[in-house]
Every structure is written in C-alpha cells, then in structure tokens.
C-alpha cells in the first residue's frame, strides 16, 4: 500500500463517529485514506443499550464500514488493530502489517474503567461494543429464566435483583428499561417467578443522577425512574462486587446481575503518543486537535482531552466526536493547500438527551429544558435522524412503534452460552431447584 501513487497518505485509526466523519470530510480531496478498525462495522452507540435490553437487533444500529464508504474511492478499509505508533518514522504498527503515513488521525475511543478494581469486570460487565451488549442481554434474560426454576425464595429474589452502577445516561437508560421489561414485557410469560416483583437498583456515587444535566432535570429524571419502580441511591459508593452481589458502603446487597455504567478510560494507545494525558488517559492536544510536537497527528473523540473557553472539557459524546473528525479533516486539507494558519477547534454544544422509559426522558438545549413526553419525542426523532442508512431508520422506527403499543421486545434470543455458565456457576450459590 505504501508503494502506490505518491498521493498524501492519511491513516485513520478507528471507525467510530470521529474517524468516520474525518474520512467522509475528505471524500473530494486527492489523498489516499486508510481507515483501520478492529471491527468491521460502525456502531451507533447511543442506542447500544437497546440491543443489551432486547429492544433492537444488532443490524439495526450497526452498518459495515465497507458498505458505508463503498462509494468513496479514496478510502481503503482494513480490519486490524493498531499496536504502536512511531511518531518520528511516521509509521503505525498493526497486528498484521505496518503502514506509513503523512497524516494520522487517532480515534480509538475509550474502554471501561473500574477505578482500580479490574476484577469487578467479570461480575459487572460494561457496555461499549456489540459483544458487550450480547453478553448483558444474555445475562439479563437468563436471570429471569433461573428465577423461574428456583424454589428457594431468597435465591429467587437474588436472581430478580438487578443493580446498575453509574448514574450517567447509560446507567439511567439501562435501569429504566430493565424496570419496563420486568413490569410490562415479561409478566404474562412467566408463571412461577412473577417478574413484576423484580428489583432494579441504580447506584450513583455522586450527589445526583445525570451530573452533566441541569440539577432540575436530574431531579425530574430521578422522579421518573422512581415512578417506574427503580430504586435510586445517590451518594452511595460501591465498595465490592462479587458472585453473590455488591457491597454498598457497609451494606451487602444480594444480586446476581450487576451492570457497570460508572466510568470509562481512554484507549491505551493514547499513552504511546508522547503527549501529556489526563487522569482518564485522554491526550491533551493543541487548540487544533494535533499533538504539540507533531502537527501531522490529530487525536479526536473520546481519546482527546479538549478544554473549552470556560475551562470545562468537551464531553465524550457523538456530536463532539463528529465535529472533531470534521475539524481534523479540514486542518489536513488546509495543510495540503499550504495554509499554515491553525484554526482552533470550537465545540458547538448541540444539547443533551437521556431517555428513561416510555414517554419519559429529559433534554436540554442551551436554556431550553424539557422533560417527560416532550423530551421523549425529541429524543426519538433525534436518534432516528442520526442513524446511518434509510433501512436502519425505518427498521428502528417500526420496532419502536410496535414496542410502544405492545411492550414486546422481539430480540430476546439467548445464544452463545449454556444457561448454567453465565456467570460462572461454580462461584454462584447453587441454582438447582
């Protein structure tokens, strides 16, 4: 690939919102672009929790990168994993080959962060990829199945107790959806365990849910969750997670299904770029998103630590990643046109949305604050609009319309594991009737 035409070569690491936006922005530029990702698809992460809770199937929120970019002749897509970057030689070493570059865009995102307790990952899976969503969906559905065949009341209660750790948008959405599944989707299908008696506990270490939102909206979100039957515990830190449940401070809670939505850490590739990083491993970039000593290398999306004029950081959300991707592409175009005047990146806040359940959501756009049904309609329209591909928009809209009227969730198929090995049966209390 390096021996091809002498067009400038741009390597983009990551096919998420930022990487894809950068590639598309350069569609009409005379360059060679190589987009490399560990997975073959672009994922619409804001709806990933719907796959995890059986509301949507995976193809509804994901599309193959090759299909998305098939009409962009200057892009080559490779399925590979970046291992390290040689900034001086301008080369990236992958698992299967090494590529040189003239410009590099690093958009490798973030992973789960367990704050020094990586052993918790086994018992409290996080939600970042489709694999994570499938694992969570399997764990949730099997919990109801095990409760159905359990004769011991205490064991049944433990199987029907779901703990979500983290009160951000993902935690709020997971907790609200689990409560709806238990109270509206499953009761007519189970005869012995009474799913409507399930206990959903949302735990947040901070003083309120949705800390990035206005405090008034945080309070409204909590009230909407509590109306759904979710127990909300703020100012509560998780001190231990194991096979039999969680410990909240000095209190033990028996729960065989724990989901993690409490924190993220930037991709480890960021620490190899030679620039300062913050506590989460995000790279501190210049005002135009490049490395201080290497203006040909841009870091964007969840991997970038970008400070706004008011001292706050640009949030790790999809609109910010897209804006960064387009800005990096514009800077590359300017460099190719010999324009050495760096344009600072300016983040345009497009608002924040979080859904809680049926006709329950919160939204803020500048000074505008919405909650309840109006916010829910805005959330629905926005997510349909930003999905990639007409087919996905149509399928998701139809699935949501059906679920709205029936409460049915069609993607409740358990595959990939035996019912006795998720989680590890040898470390669980016996679940044999």
């Amino acid at each position: 690939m390096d021996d091809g035409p002498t067009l400038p070569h741009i390597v983009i690491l990551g096919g998420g919102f930022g990487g894809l936006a950068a590639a598309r922005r350069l569609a009409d530029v005379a360059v060679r672009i190589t987009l490399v990702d560990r997975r073959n698809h672009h994922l619409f992460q804001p709806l990933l929790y719907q796959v995890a809770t059986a509301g949507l199937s995976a193809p509804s929120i994901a599309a193959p990168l090759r299909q998305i970019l098939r009409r962009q002749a200057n892009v080559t897509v490779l399925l590979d994993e970046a291992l390290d970057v040689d900034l001086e030689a301008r080369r990236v070493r992958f698992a299967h080959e090494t590529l040189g570059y003239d410009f590099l865009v690093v958009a490798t995102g973030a992973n789960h962060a367990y704050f020094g307790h990586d052993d918790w990952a086994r018992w409290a899976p996080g939600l970042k990829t489709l694999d994570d969503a499938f694992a969570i969906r399997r764990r949730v559905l099997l919990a109801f199945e095990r409760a159905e065949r359990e004769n011991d009341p205490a064991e049944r209660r433990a199987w029907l107790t779901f703990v979500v750790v983290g009160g951000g948008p993902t935690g709020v959405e997971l907790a609200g959806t689990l409560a709806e599944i238990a109270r509206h989707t499953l009761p007519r299908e189970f005869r012995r365990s009474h799913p409507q008696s399930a206990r959903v506990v949302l735990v947040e270490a901070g003083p309120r849910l949705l800390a990035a939102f206005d405090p008034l909206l945080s309070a409204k979100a909590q009230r909407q969750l509590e109306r759904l039957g979710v127990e909300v515990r703020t100012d509560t830190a998780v001190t231990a997670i194991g096979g039999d449940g969680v410990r909240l401070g000095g209190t033990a809670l028996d729960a065989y299904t724990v989901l993690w939505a409490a924190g993220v850490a930037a991709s480890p590739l960021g620490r190899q770029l030679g620039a300062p990083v913050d506590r989460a491993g995000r790279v501190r970039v210049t005002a135009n998103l490049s490395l201080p000593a290497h203006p040909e290398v841009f870091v964007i999306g969840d991997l970038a630590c970008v400070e706004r004029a008011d001292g706050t950081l640009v949030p790790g959300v999809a609109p910010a990643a897209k804006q960064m991707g387009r800005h990096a592409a514009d800077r590359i175009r300017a460099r190719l046109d010999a324009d050495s005047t760096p344009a600072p990146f300016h983040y345009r806040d497009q608002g924040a949305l979080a859904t809680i359940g049926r006709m329950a959501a919160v939204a803020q756009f500048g000074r505008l604050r919405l909650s309840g049904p109006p916010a829910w309609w805005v959330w629905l329209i926005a997510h349909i609009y930003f999905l990639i591909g007409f087919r996905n928009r149509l399928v998701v809209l139809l699935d949501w319309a059906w679920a709205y009227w029936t409460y049915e969730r069609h993607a409740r198929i358990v595959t990939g594991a035996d019912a006795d090995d998720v989680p590890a049966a040898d470390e669980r209390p016996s679940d044999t009737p």
Side-chain angles (χ1 to χ4, degrees):
M1 192 169 299
D2 291 332
D3 297 329
T6 57
L7 292 174
H9 187 205
I10 301 167
V11 174
I12 300 175
L13 306 181
F17 290 108
L20 191 57
R24 286 173 147 180
R25 190 76 158 196
L26 294 166
D28 60 346
V29 181
V31 293
R32 291 182 300 133
I33 303 171
T34 303
L35 188 149
V36 187
D37 198 293
R38 293 184 298 172
R39 298 174 178 86
N40 78 330
H41 56 269
H42 171 78
L43 177 65
F44 191 76
Q45 278 196 337
L47 291 180
L48 188 58
Y49 82 96
Q50 295 245 341
V51 176
T53 53
L56 295 173
S57 59
S60 298
I61 66 163
L65 286 166
R66 295 183 186 279
Q67 176 186 337
I68 297 170
L69 298 169
R70 65 189 182 280
R71 293 189 177 93
Q72 190 170 332
N74 64 350
V75 176
T76 297
V77 177
L78 294 179
L79 186 66
D80 212 334
E81 180 177 5
L83 301 179
D84 59 64
V85 179
D86 187 334
L87 295 172
E88 301 305 322
R90 296 193 180 186
R91 300 185 72 80
V92 182
R93 184 171 67 89
F94 298 93
H96 298 95
E97 63 181 300
T98 299
L99 293 178
Y101 63 82
D102 295 293
F103 295 95
L104 178 65
V105 180
V106 185
T108 48
N111 302 312
H112 312 300
Y114 288 88
F115 310 114
H117 298 279
D118 291 345
D119 56 305
W120 292 357
R122 182 179 189 186
W123 306 112
L127 185 59
K128 279 293 180 184
T129 68
L130 283 176
D131 289 338
D132 295 335
F134 295 150
I136 288 174
R137 183 176 69 188
R138 183 167 60 242
R139 188 168 293 203
V140 168
L141 295 178
L142 288 180
F144 286 104
E145 295 293 343
R146 292 192 178 190
E148 181 76 355
R149 73 176 197 238
E150 180 59 65
N151 290 326
D152 185 324
E155 287 295 291
R156 179 175 288 174
R157 281 195 300 272
W159 284 115
L160 289 179
T161 299
F162 301 86
V163 177
V164 180
V165 183
T170 299
V172 165
E173 289 164 349
L174 280 171
T177 306
L178 287 173
E180 283 199 338
I181 290 173
R183 285 154 181 73
H184 298 290
T185 302
L186 300 181
R188 289 178 295 178
E189 302 180 11
F190 287 78
R191 303 292 182 258
R192 302 169 63 187
S193 58
H194 307 295
Q196 63 268 35
S197 67
R199 184 182 183 189
V200 181
V201 183
L202 178 60
V203 181
E204 167 57 38
R208 62 186 176 93
L209 303 179
L210 302 174
F213 285 70
D214 183 276
L216 179 62
L217 289 181
S218 295
K220 289 184 176 181
Q222 179 167 337
R223 287 196 294 271
Q224 291 178 75
L225 281 169
E226 290 170 344
R227 281 198 293 269
L228 285 172
V230 177
E231 297 179 31
V232 179
R233 300 192 183 187
T234 56
D235 289 312
T236 303
V238 174
T239 55
I241 302 177
D244 55 355
V246 300
R247 181 167 290 276
L248 308 176
T251 304
L253 178 60
D254 292 337
Y256 292 164
T257 306
V258 183
L259 306 180
W260 186 262
V264 296
S267 163
L269 191 64
R271 298 184 182 275
Q272 301 181 23
L273 299 178
V277 297
D278 67 2
R279 293 178 59 185
R282 294 173 295 189
V283 180
R284 297 187 182 277
V285 294
T286 67
N288 70 332
L289 306 182
S290 64
L291 295 183
H294 292 274
E296 75 283 357
V297 178
F298 296 86
V299 182
I300 63 174
D302 290 345
L303 189 57
C305 177
V306 184
E307 190 171 305
R308 293 192 275 186
D310 61 1
T312 62
L313 298 180
V314 173
V317 294
K322 291 180 179 179
Q323 292 176 35
M324 290 184 194
R326 291 192 288 266
H327 179 87
D330 289 342
R331 288 307 311 146
I332 290 172
R333 185 194 297 260
R335 290 277 302 276
L336 293 173
D337 292 338
D339 178 4
S340 60
T341 304
F345 172 72
H346 175 68
Y347 171 59
R348 297 176 298 281
D349 191 345
Q350 298 178 353
L353 297 160
T355 184
I356 295 155
R358 176 176 168 143
M359 285 294 181
V362 291
Q364 64 180 43
F365 304 94
R367 295 182 179 179
L368 178 63
R369 305 288 187 267
L370 299 173
S371 65
W376 186 82
W377 281 109
V378 171
W379 176 91
L380 184 147
I381 293 169
H383 283 71
I384 290 290
Y385 177 79
F386 285 112
L387 272 170
I388 289 182
F390 175 77
R391 176 204 169 275
N392 283 6
R393 295 188 186 105
L394 179 61
V395 170
V396 169
L397 183 60
L398 291 174
D399 282 347
W400 281 350
W402 183 258
Y404 180 85
W405 294 110
T406 67
Y407 283 108
E408 292 182 7
R409 291 178 172 267
H410 71 282
R412 286 166 38 213
I413 306 299
V414 178
T415 62
D418 180 78
D420 287 323
D421 65 7
V422 180
D426 59 340
E427 297 184 43
R428 289 287 194 202
S430 172
D431 66 341
T432 303

